[in-house]
Amino acid sequence: MKGNSVTSADIRTASGAGGVGSSPMPAKSAADRSMKPERRQRRSFKAALRIALPVLAGLLFVALWELKLFHSLFNLRTYQLPLPSAIAQAMADNRSLLASYTGYTLSEAVLGMLAGSAIGFIVALCATAWPRWGAGSLLIVASFNAVPIVALAPIMNLWFGDGIGSRIAIVTVATMAAMAVNAHKGMTMVDPLALDFMKSCAATKLEVFRYLRIPASLPYVFTALKINTTAGMIGAIVGEFFYSSRGLGYLLSNSIKVAKMPIGWSCITTAAIVGILFYLFMEFLERRLVKRHV
C-alpha cells in the first residue's frame, strides 16, 4: 500500500498543479502527434541524403574520369586507363559473354563460400564445445587464411584438376577463417546470466547451443558471410587467372595479354557490381533473419 501511495503521489506530482480536470497528458500526446510528421520528414530526408551523397560522389568521380582528369594527373594514355564510355561500350558489345562468365565465376564463389563457411562454423562449434581440444583448430584455420591465393592455386589445381573444383577449393580455404573466428566469438560472448539460468535449469550442452549460443552467434555469422562475399569473388577470379578456360578471371587475364583494356575493365566493373549485389543480398538476409532470433 505504501508503494501504491508513493506511486500515486509521484504521478500527481508529475502531472503538475493543475488540479482536478487538468490533465497535461493529452496535450503531451497531441504535441507528440504534431511532431511525428516532422520527424518522419527528417528521417526521410536523412535516408535520402545517405543514398544521394554516395551516388553524387560516384557520378562526380566518373565525370572527372571521363574528362581525363586522372590521365592528366598521372600522365596516362587512354589505352592504359580506358575512359568510362569505352568501358561501357565494351560491356554492351560483350554482354552475352560477360553474363555467361559472370554466372560461372559467381557459382564458384557461392559454392566455395558455402563450403568454407560451413567448415568454419563447425570448427567454431567444436572450439566452443570442447575448448581444451578445439581451440587449437581456430589457429590452424587462421593459418590457412595466411596462405596467398597465388600459392594456393597451383596446389588446388594439382589436387582437384583444372575444372571448377579447384576454384571452389580455393574459395573454401579463403573463407573458412572469417567464419570460424566470428562464429566462435559469437558463441562464447553470451549473456552470463542467461548461461547461469540455463545451467540452473539443468539444460544439456546441446540445449545451451540450440537456444542460447547459436542464436547469439547469428550477428557474427552474418558479419563473416558479408566478409566472405567479397573474399569469395576475389578467390574465384584469382584462381581463374591461373587455371581456367571460363570465368571473369580468365577473360580479364586474356584481355590484358592482348591489350584489350576496355574488356578487361568491363570484367573488373562487372565483378565489382556482382560483389556489391552479393553483399547487399547477405545484408537483406541478415535483416530478415537476425531480428527474428535476437
Side-chain angles (χ1 to χ4, degrees):
M1 293 300 291
K2 185 178 179 182
N4 291 337
S5 63
V6 170
T7 303
S8 301
D10 289 342
I11 292 172
R12 283 195 297 272
T13 305
S15 65
V20 178
S22 132
S23 177
M25 292 302 292
K28 186 178 178 181
S29 300
D32 286 344
R33 283 196 297 271
S34 64
M35 289 294 292
K36 280 181 181 178
E38 295 178 3
R39 288 178 182 174
R40 280 199 296 270
Q41 289 177 356
R42 201 178 302 127
R43 287 177 184 174
S44 301
F45 177 74
K46 287 181 179 178
L49 206 61
R50 279 200 299 271
I51 298 172
L53 284 178
V55 170
L56 288 175
L59 291 175
L60 178 63
F61 180 82
V62 172
L64 294 176
W65 185 355
E66 184 69 26
L67 294 173
K68 300 183 181 179
L69 175 66
F70 305 120
H71 296 77
S72 303
L73 288 176
F74 302 108
N75 194 23
L76 297 172
R77 301 288 184 267
T78 52
Y79 72 87
Q80 294 171 307
L81 179 62
L83 296 176
S85 56
I87 298 171
Q89 186 63 45
M91 291 179 71
D93 294 341
N94 300 278
R95 56 183 177 277
S96 59
L97 182 67
L98 284 172
S100 171
Y101 282 9
T102 300
Y104 185 77
T105 302
L106 186 61
S107 62
E108 293 171 346
V110 171
L111 292 174
M113 191 195 79
L114 291 177
S117 299
I119 294 172
F121 191 78
I122 292 171
V123 169
L125 277 174
C126 295
T128 307
W130 302 284
R132 180 178 296 178
W133 307 104
S137 59
L138 289 175
L139 295 177
I140 296 173
V141 171
S143 67
F144 285 151
N145 202 39
V147 179
I149 297 176
V150 291
L152 203 60
I155 298 171
M156 294 303 169
N157 185 57
L158 284 174
W159 287 7
F160 299 99
D162 57 356
I164 192 173
S166 63
R167 267 87 63 191
I168 292 175
I170 292 170
V171 176
T172 300
V173 174
T175 53
M176 279 192 304
M179 176 57 74
V181 173
N182 278 280
H184 179 259
K185 186 177 181 181
M187 291 180 197
T188 52
M189 293 185 66
V190 295
D191 187 355
L193 293 177
L195 191 59
D196 289 341
F197 174 74
M198 295 202 72
K199 287 180 179 177
S200 67
C201 294
T204 62
K205 184 178 281 189
L206 183 62
E207 288 171 335
V208 171
F209 269 90
R210 181 179 177 183
Y211 297 110
L212 182 61
R213 291 193 186 278
I214 291 178
S217 72
L218 283 180
Y220 296 89
V221 168
F222 274 99
T223 299
L225 287 175
K226 287 189 284 187
I227 294 171
N228 285 343
T229 55
T230 50
M233 287 297 293
I234 292 171
I237 289 173
V238 174
E240 289 168 353
F241 246 84
F242 296 94
Y243 303 102
S244 182
S245 57
R246 292 183 65 189
L248 290 176
Y250 166 76
L251 184 59
L252 175 60
S253 173
N254 282 357
S255 303
I256 293 173
K257 287 175 184 173
V258 297
K260 291 185 177 179
M261 296 306 292
I263 298 178
W265 276 90
S266 67
C267 294
I268 296 171
T269 306
T270 305
I273 293 171
V274 171
I276 292 170
L277 293 176
F278 199 7
Y279 179 89
L280 292 176
F281 176 69
M282 283 299 161
E283 203 168 54
F284 169 76
L285 288 181
E286 181 184 18
R287 284 199 302 269
R288 296 298 299 269
L289 297 178
V290 171
K291 283 181 180 177
R292 187 179 300 176
H293 289 87
V294 178

